[in-house]
């Protein structure tokens, strides 16, 4: 089956099987930041934005992306670096395997376009960040959100 | 990137001790660059998968590969039959024969 969608702003078309999950498709298309973690919709490593909303690509059929916008960290390099250096400064990036999800979760919580709602506890609720909530990462998110609010950047 | 951390007064005189240090590869890690084996593996490389018994503490009496070896893309299936029985590695339910069983 052929699908067309926008991947990080670029129009792409792909031939997929009915049971192909979005995770495999975006990795095939070169978005290696999207990681296969638990494959059971628990860890959140495979998070991508579908029309600007975080979804777990391991449990989203590739067909669902048809005609929609898919965003991975490859399309958010500037934001990822800005946020990531907060993580790095706190030593929270660790081995880096799960870093992708932090921006995709925090950035979305912080509101890419709008204002940030819910406080850092909102970002780190079990639902939005299921994997890890270590102190270093909590500190990084908090500092990032504080800096965002102070800086008044979008 | 405004980052500050309180350091003890005596450590402030030192450049490295007590100072936070950002890892050299931090940028590649936080921006999701392909740095892991699975990201770098060639598209046409052979992939090894281990199939374990789904039953805990069961005795494996037979392994039938007839159907599995017909699956397209399967290059070979390795079972105990292809292994040398005089290996220093212990087999399931066999006494350990080597003083250092974990080394290959």
């Amino acid at each position: 089956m052929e699908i067309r969608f926008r991947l990080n702003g670029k129009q792409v078309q792909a031939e997929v099987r009915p049971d192909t999950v979005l995770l495999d498709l975006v990795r095939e298309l070169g978005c290696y930041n999207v990681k296969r973690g638990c494959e059971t919709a628990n860890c959140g490593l495979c998070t991508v934005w579908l029309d600007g909303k975080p979804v777990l690509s391991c449990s989203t059929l590739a067909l669902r992306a048809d005609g929609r916008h898919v965003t991975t960290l490859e399309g958010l390099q500037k934001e990822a670096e800005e946020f990531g250096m907060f993580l790095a400064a706190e030593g929270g990036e660790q081995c880096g395997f799960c870093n992708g999800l932090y921006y995709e979760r925090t950035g979305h919580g912080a509101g890419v376009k709008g204002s940030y709602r819910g406080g850092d506890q909102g970002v780190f609720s079990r639902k939005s960040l299921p994997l890890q909530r270590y102190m270093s990462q909590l500190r990084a998110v908090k500092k990032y959100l504080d800096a965002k609010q102070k800086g008044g950047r979008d | 990137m405004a980052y500050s951390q309180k350091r003890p007064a005596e450590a402030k005189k030192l450049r490295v001790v007590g100072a936070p240090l950002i890892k050299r590869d931090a940028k590649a890690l936080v921006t999701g660059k392909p740095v892991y084996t699975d990201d770098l593996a060639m598209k046409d490389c052979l992939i090894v998968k281990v199939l374990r018994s789904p039953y805990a503490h069961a005795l494996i009496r037979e392994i039938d590969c007839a159907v599995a070896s017909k699956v397209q893309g399967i290059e070979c299936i390795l079972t105990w039959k292809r292994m040398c029985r005089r290996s220093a590695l212990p087999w399931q339910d066999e006494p350990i024969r080597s003083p250092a069983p974990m080394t290959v």
Side-chain angles (χ1 to χ4, degrees):
Chain A
M1 295 165 117
E2 196 183 280
I3 58 165
R4 289 157 192 274
F5 61 103
R6 280 188 180 270
L7 180 60
N8 295 324
K10 233 168 86 184
Q11 184 75 42
V12 290
Q13 64 179 67
E15 188 64 36
V16 295
R17 294 204 322 263
D19 63 346
T20 304
V21 289
L22 191 55
L23 167 66
D24 291 320
L25 179 64
V26 291
R27 278 190 69 89
E28 206 176 287
L29 293 169
C31 297
Y32 292 115
N33 141 71
V34 187
K35 299 290 194 292
R36 188 188 298 275
C38 70
E39 234 184 337
T40 51
N42 278 291
C43 75
L45 291 202
C46 63
T47 305
V48 300
W49 289 352
L50 192 58
D51 284 343
K53 262 176 83 177
V55 296
L56 299 171
S57 65
C58 76
S59 48
T60 304
L61 288 175
L63 288 172
R64 286 206 186 269
D66 193 24
R68 297 169 78 175
H69 287 260
V70 177
T71 314
T72 69
L73 214 63
E74 277 77 5
L76 297 162
Q77 287 290 288
K78 217 181 106 226
E79 296 88 338
E81 193 186 331
E82 188 192 10
F83 170 69
M85 292 325 272
F86 276 86
L87 260 188
E90 295 291 342
E93 86 279 29
Q94 300 179 350
C95 88
F97 197 72
C98 67
N99 280 168
L101 107 135
Y102 279 97
Y103 183 72
E104 283 173 356
R105 293 289 181 171
T106 316
H108 184 263
V112 216
K113 292 171 202 138
S115 62
Y116 169 66
R117 293 184 299 270
D120 54 303
Q121 289 307 311
V123 174
F124 274 85
S125 71
R126 184 153 283 279
K127 198 178 161 205
S128 44
L129 196 57
L131 182 74
Q132 293 175 337
R133 284 172 291 174
Y134 289 126
M135 290 315 288
S136 55
Q137 290 146 1
L138 280 169
R139 280 198 308 272
V141 170
K142 206 163 174 354
K143 284 187 182 177
Y144 170 75
L145 295 174
D146 287 348
K148 272 268 189 227
Q149 272 175 345
K150 255 185 233 160
R153 284 168 294 186
D154 60 45
Chain B
M1 201 53 53
Y3 175 77
S4 67
Q5 193 177 53
K6 277 187 186 158
R7 296 171 63 192
E10 64 271 23
K12 278 183 185 162
K13 290 178 220 148
L14 302 168
R15 194 167 51 86
V16 176
V17 176
L21 187 71
I22 288 180
K23 284 198 291 188
R24 236 168 232 229
D25 56 350
K27 199 174 147 186
L29 296 179
V30 298
T31 51
K33 292 278 177 288
V35 291
Y36 301 91
T37 319
D38 198 29
D39 308 334
L40 303 167
M42 286 179 289
K43 289 265 176 279
D44 56 349
C45 67
L46 286 177
I47 291 167
V48 178
K49 294 219 172 186
V50 179
L51 181 67
R52 294 190 173 85
S53 166
Y55 307 105
H57 210 280
L59 283 177
I60 299 169
R61 295 197 186 277
E62 199 185 352
I63 302 171
D64 186 2
C65 306
V67 179
S69 51
K70 282 180 194 153
V71 175
Q72 203 190 355
I74 300 267
E75 290 294 323
C76 77
I77 299 170
L78 297 171
T79 65
W80 63 273
K81 285 177 195 161
R82 296 276 296 268
M83 303 293 281
C84 171
R85 289 292 278 176
R86 276 172 294 174
S87 154
L89 286 168
W91 295 95
Q92 191 176 6
D93 293 320
E94 279 183 357
I96 295 169
R97 300 179 224 186
S98 158
M102 293 317 285
T103 52
V104 182

